[in-house]
Amino acid sequence: DAKTTQPPSMDCAEGRAANLPCNHSTISGNEYVYWYRQIHSQGPQYIIHGLKNNETNEMASLIITEDRKSSTLILPHATLRDTAVYYCIVRANTGGFKTIFGAGTRLFVKA
Amino acid sequence: NAGVTQTPKFRVLKTGQSMTLLCAQDMNHEYMYWYRQDPGMGLRLIHYSVGEGTTAKGEVPDGYNVSRLKKQNFLLGLESAAPSQTSVYFCASRADSTTGNTIYFGEGSWLTVV
């Protein structure tokens, strides 16, 4: 599985968009980009994933660059409850056994 | 809908004691994982399994053993607990398919070794 690089922490004002970047320059053609988040001490929760097209669901949007070497998770209107650690991982949908999580980005949403 | 269930949720061990953490999933998933998370740190993969009867080492396997005798269960064992193994342990599972490959996590098991 390809490795990812994320900033250790970010701040965002409540109600504003939170843009969380992720670099994955060694991503392979069959690897997807997944985003998870971990609120306080709970188990991580799935947010969104994509291969090469931009994706949107009820939680967030995922923008993947054309060369697929980086991506951005967008929380369009951040709330205090979005304060969490956000993990970006890349993995093939088949195989991709190890599923390594990095340190993630700690997002602080401030009132 | 149970999903991934871990037992016990909390445990205090003395150095040198042994214990087993049990993970059970009811989603018929092929892959199962054990992670540990130390305070302020990310998740680190201990061991994983790609199917019943198979196990493999992750990033930090030393001091732990695992078994996957049944597809729905993945056991994590500590034969001789050490204070360095004080951590929160998360179990996870996922399906092996080309779509819908989300990883589902348990609620965590808090282990303190004194």
Side-chain angles (χ1 to χ4, degrees), chain A:
Chain A
D1 294 344
K3 291 189 176 180
T4 63
T5 304
Q6 298 177 253
S9 67
M10 293 181 64
D11 290 344
C12 177
E14 189 178 21
R16 304 294 296 269
N19 299 297
L20 291 90
C22 179
N23 287 324
H24 31 79
S25 59
T26 60
I27 191 170
S28 300
N30 67 338
E31 288 183 318
Y32 286 69
V33 180
Y34 283 80
W35 283 84
Y36 289 79
R37 75 178 181 183
Q38 186 175 25
I39 296 175
H40 195 43
S41 300
Q42 300 174 19
Q45 172 193 24
Y46 167 81
I47 302 173
I48 198 168
H49 75 283
L51 183 62
K52 53 185 176 181
N53 297 322
N54 298 337
E55 302 286 345
T56 296
N57 63 19
E58 65 278 4
M59 291 181 68
S61 295
L62 174 61
I63 308 298
I64 303 173
T65 58
E66 192 170 344
D67 63 7
R68 301 204 331 119
K69 293 185 177 182
S70 65
S71 61
T72 301
L73 177 75
I74 301 173
L75 307 178
H77 304 287
T79 70
L80 299 178
R81 289 175 296 180
D82 291 322
T83 292
V85 177
Y86 289 78
Y87 298 98
C88 166
I89 64 172
V90 290
R91 175 170 56 76
N93 259 3
T94 56
F97 303 133
K98 284 195 173 182
T99 310
I100 303 293
F101 282 73
T105 295
R106 190 172 295 274
L107 176 68
F108 295 95
V109 180
K110 300 181 177 180

